[in-house]
Amino acid sequence: MARIKNIDIKRPLIFFFSSLIYALCQMLFSIILMKEDLWNNFHVQLSAHYIVIFTMCVADYGLLIFLNKYLPYSKNVLYRVVADIIGITLVSLILLWAFNYLIYDIFLISKEGMPSFLVKFAFGMSTNIPILLVFELIHYFQSEQKAIADSEKAKRKVLLFQHETLKAQINPHFLFNSLNVLSSLIYINPENANKFTKALSKTYRYVLSLNRQPVVSVGEELDALDSYLFLMRMRFEDSFTFKIYKMADCARKDIIPLTLQLLIENAFKHNIATEDSLLDIKITIDIDYITVENNIQPSSDVNKGGIGLKYIADQYKLYEKTVIVEHTEQMFVVKIPYIQS
């Protein structure tokens, strides 16, 4: 509770005292420029200047929020600078008109001895520009801090993903099934046992090599996928079909490591694969997406552990990419976007 109170009070106090000091400086500058007596109605002059400064701060902050939403620096720096200049000019003109109306038409103060419109406009601009500049600098440093924090968060998520992926691939169930297949092949078909051992070794080597790779090329992923599919063929034999349709040459485009392998693993995990009920898996590579689809044959004994589609989707969100999932009664389709590195 104390911490919340400190946050609620600290910022308004900082704003109040900083704007008060700025109003005092502007008042002194105005008195020197107009050659007036400093102590003549000191509290009235300071109050009037503070109201002006406070109003400018509110208007400039509103301008900053508006421009950050519709024309951030990330879009076009030159346009944003021009928009800042136009915006601060409009703010100064509107506030000058409002204060003139208040002073001359509401309070009926005489215009005699008052500075001209151009002098007041120049004074308003020279007062307004530093306020907006300070707001811009505060926003910039806050954005930088947020970017650093988001980057660290993204790194932690990537490390977590790699850790979970590694656990999924080395989990006892997967290893137990692989060793069972290998044990059978040693007696039945030593040549295939040798191939199976090499494929298993290549699969684990690929997983272990991903510690320093946040993304991999489609070509690398497909090459590693061959070894994994060989393991699945040895295990499930003729219980599934697998085809790749290359509609575009996207071998050099990047994706999250193990995306395809994990999606295929999920297909086996959540569906029945037998010779009577073939599991049909297709991968289509086109210019915008890699599409992985399989027919739905729900398994009654589904292991809920492991990575899952959510982990994959979260990894692509780190790169501001969206994984598209289409689920019908007959087909389960996942569209994976490319990551431009």
Side-chain angles (χ1 to χ4, degrees), residues 147-191:
I148 293 171
D150 289 344
S151 177
E152 291 300 319
K153 185 179 179 182
K155 288 178 182 178
R156 287 195 296 271
K157 283 191 175 182
V158 169
L159 290 174
L160 176 63
F161 175 75
Q162 292 171 348
H163 175 67
E164 293 293 334
T165 302
L166 189 58
K167 284 199 305 182
Q169 291 304 320
I170 320 178
N171 72 72
H173 183 70
F174 178 82
L175 187 59
F176 178 76
N177 286 330
S178 298
L179 291 177
N180 272 344
V181 174
L182 180 59
S183 177
S184 301
L185 287 174
I186 289 174
Y187 295 101
I188 300 173
N189 193 328
E191 184 179 349

Side-chain angles (χ1 to χ4, degrees), residues 165 169 206-207 210 216 221 256-263:
T165 302
Q169 291 304 320
Y206 178 65
V207 173
L210 300 175
V216 295
E221 182 79 353
I256 297 294
L258 296 172
T259 295
L260 301 181
Q261 183 171 323
L262 292 174
L263 290 176

Side-chain angles (χ1 to χ4, degrees), residues 164-165 167-169 171 173-174 177 228 232 235-236 240 260-274 279 281 294-312 332:
E164 293 293 334
T165 302
K167 284 199 305 182
Q169 291 304 320
N171 72 72
H173 183 70
F174 178 82
N177 286 330
Y228 178 76
M232 294 298 102
R235 178 181 167 189
F236 290 97
F240 75 98
L260 301 181
Q261 183 171 323
L262 292 174
L263 290 176
I264 293 174
E265 181 180 321
N266 282 344
F268 281 107
K269 183 190 302 181
H270 294 279
N271 294 279
I272 297 171
T274 65
L279 180 62
I281 303 173
N294 63 268
N295 58 328
I296 296 178
Q297 302 176 151
S299 172
S300 57
D301 182 23
V302 177
N303 178 16
K304 298 299 182 181
I307 294 296
L309 185 60
K310 182 179 182 300
Y311 286 92
I312 298 174
F332 187 79

Side-chain angles (χ1 to χ4, degrees), residues 55 73-74 89 101 145 191 198 203 216 261 290 317 336:
T55 307
Y73 279 104
S74 57
T89 302
Y101 177 79
Q145 289 178 343
E191 184 179 349
K198 289 180 179 179
T203 299
V216 295
Q261 183 171 323
I290 295 182
K317 283 181 182 178
I336 302 298

